[in-house]
Amino acid sequence: MGSKKQKFLDLIKIQRNNKTAEKFDGTFLDYLAVVEKNPGLVKSGHKRLYDVIVGHGVNPLEDEERKRKIFGNDTFDIYSYFEGEFFGMERVIAKTMRFLRSASLRGEESRQVLLLMGPVGAGKSAMVEHIKAALEQDVYYHLKNDPQRGEPLQLIPRSLRPKFEKILNVKIEGDLSPVARQILLDDYEGIYEDFPVVESTFSQRGRRGIASVPPMDANSQDVSVLIGSEDISKLDKYSDDDPRILSLNGAFNVGNRGIVELVEVFKNEIEFLHTIITATQEKRIPSPGKHDMIHFDGVILAHCNESEWNKFRSEHTNEAILDRIVKINVPYVLELDQEIKIYEKQLGRSDFVAHIAPHTLRVASMFSVLSRLHHTQKCDLLTKMKIYNGEEVIEKGRVKNIDIKDLREESRYEGMSGISTRFIMKAIDNALADSKKAYITPVSVISALTRQVQEQLIDEEFRQHCLEIIQKMVREEYLRMLENEIAKAFVTAYEEQAQTLFNSYLDNAEAHTTHQRLKDKITSEEREPDERFMRAIEEQIGITGSSRDGFRSDVTAYMFAKMRRREKVDFRSYEPLKEAIENYLIASVKDMARIVTKSISRDDDQQKKYSEMVQTMIDEYGYTAESAEEVLTFASNNLWRDS
Ligand SMILES: Nc1ncnc2c1ncn2[C@@H]1O[C@H](COP(=O)(O)OP(=O)(O)OP(=O)(O)O)[C@@H](O)[C@H]1O
Ligand SMILES: [Mg+2]
């Protein structure tokens, strides 16, 4: 028992010592020496935030393929601080950082509010939390016992500042808070070099440099939440213009030099927001009572959703505030692979221990992404989703040629509506809770999503649209994926077989295109290209009749161009051919799959084949026996009907 207690005590002590170890505690004169050595310590709130985030690393987007396919070769930076936390939000992050950068250079943005606007569950709050957490890794020096925790250099009288700025190579902005001024006069008789300076960390819970203002209803909102108040109990001791009666504990006092967050900002009454105008434009906030305005320097971060924004914007009396806002849209993710990562992250962090069968999160994410897409004349929604995900879509033997940029241009507002991340998370939870099973599969998620759409979506048109997405697009696409997977599980040495087919097709197509005969590599015997074989592959992707010649010469030209560039060539190299080969293999096992997956009709041989296949699904694809069983039952009820 005793040693246990000692262990705890040791832990506590180590932490406490680390905390207090190197903290600065001295006079203003000592502080000047520190600044002289390290002028970079003196910086605006914007610059400080920008620096800590950038300090984690900035890199150009490395994934060349994603850059080309998704971002149309736009170049922008990837900030490591957000990696692994936020997915598919590169543009939003780049815009936010651009804002901070120009604000840190004291541009007009340093006098503006940054507003993140987007639909529910798009990650606005999470983003702001993460930004605030960045600041919590930093420290700052400030005047001791000053509720505003002002920059100590503000002690220097205006007339002396140019000299100090030159010596120290810094910029000195703003003035002492009335409380600090009072301390200076009362305790140090104006001898400001003796004023104590301390070092602090930023902490939202500790109310140091980070403040968050929740929305308040009209009755309870009180501007003291923003700017502090007068302590009435002290009024009998001091006169009402004495700073000692001030409680500077409002958000703008606390958040000075750091961040003030305005949660769901436009839920507040407009009068409440007027403080923002002076805080941004003049970098000063009103003081409670009769005092002069107080200097404020910090990042003002607000967020809201679209309807609140539209309502606010429509009232012309709000122009003064609107003019001081830099709005960044935070749309939902439209890139499937990134959407999947959101749920992987969320599930990874929850107590969720269930087995998640392959494709489950993909299927759920397909639904949310599809629900967010706008219709286009250029293609169907599923194709659009794939193009947004950087996939190549094959149509009539060719890669469908639609420019992702054109699609985006067409519907600039895409991603601002649709199914939210929370909706999907709830469905995943429900799929598990309802079935009381220790696993979820695409099948159970599809049914949980369907139920949730029926129960929770109020808008009739949107509900119908969502049901159609689940039942038609998502379900059918999943069946295609499943069919493919089952075929792979049936075909022994799938990769090799596919590769053999590919090599053979390429040889034949080349010979056909160049009007030559094929030479057998071993016997050196010559023969005509195998027309039947080529056709059997081609018809898998609907290439028939006169389009065959074109396809064969396209494939040949494409592959040889690749080889000339010394690029690796395999059966996946040319998307149309890959699809044809896969379909060919799928078709070759179709009959067997149909019979074997039906449990009633299995004989001993088939039972053995079935068990082998299930084993492959478990060993190689990551199913469990139960989840494999569930999807195979689904497959046998829904696939291979026509033949
Ligand atoms: N692109 C994304 N990358 C990573 N996580 C995300 C992303 N989008 C949403 N999330 C996650 O989804 C959850 C909900 O997001 P959050 O609460 O931040 O949404 P919000 O935009 O503030 O919504 P609301 O308007 O309802 O307040 C969070 O856990 C967040 O981490
Ligand atoms: Mg939120």
Side-chain angles (χ1 to χ4, degrees), residues 312-355:
F312 185 82
R313 194 175 55 164
S314 64
E315 286 179 35
H316 72 100
T317 45
N318 294 339
E319 267 167 18
I321 294 181
L322 282 171
D323 201 36
R324 289 165 170 84
I325 287 176
V326 173
K327 177 172 71 76
I328 293 179
N329 285 356
V330 184
Y332 288 132
V333 171
L334 301 179
E335 194 182 337
L336 183 63
D337 287 339
Q338 304 297 317
E339 179 80 1
I340 296 170
K341 288 184 187 161
I342 299 176
Y343 306 118
E344 285 171 347
K345 175 192 86 171
Q346 309 242 47
L347 291 173
R349 291 185 185 171
S350 68
D351 295 334
F352 198 91
V353 285
H355 160 69

Side-chain angles (χ1 to χ4, degrees), residues 85-87 89 119-126 264 333 342 345-346 421-422:
E85 278 299 322
F86 295 94
F87 306 101
M89 290 180 80
V120 295
K124 305 179 294 292
S125 299
E264 318 253 344
V333 171
I342 299 176
K345 175 192 86 171
Q346 309 242 47
T421 48
R422 282 196 206 102

Side-chain angles (χ1 to χ4, degrees), residues 552-563:
R552 291 173 194 173
S553 67
D554 281 357
V555 170
T556 312
Y558 183 86
M559 293 301 167
F560 285 101
K562 257 177 119 65
M563 289 182 206

Side-chain angles (χ1 to χ4, degrees), residues 114-120 124-125 128 262-267 301-310 312 325 327-330 416:
L114 179 66
L115 174 71
L116 300 178
M117 191 278 278
V120 295
K124 305 179 294 292
S125 299
V128 173
L262 302 165
V263 181
E264 318 253 344
V265 58
F266 299 128
K267 290 216 168 91
L301 270 180
H303 41 110
C304 72
N305 63 38
E306 196 176 6
S307 55
E308 291 156 359
W309 164 253
N310 285 336
F312 185 82
I325 287 176
K327 177 172 71 76
I328 293 179
N329 285 356
V330 184
M416 297 304 273

Side-chain angles (χ1 to χ4, degrees), residues 180-207:
R181 182 175 305 282
Q182 186 72 29
I183 298 173
L184 174 64
L185 295 178
D186 288 356
D187 298 355
Y188 304 97
E189 290 163 351
I191 314 285
Y192 58 85
E193 60 272 34
D194 289 345
F195 204 116
V197 172
V198 289
E199 183 188 336
S200 282
T201 48
F202 288 86
S203 161
Q204 176 166 349
R205 273 180 309 158
R207 308 206 79 212

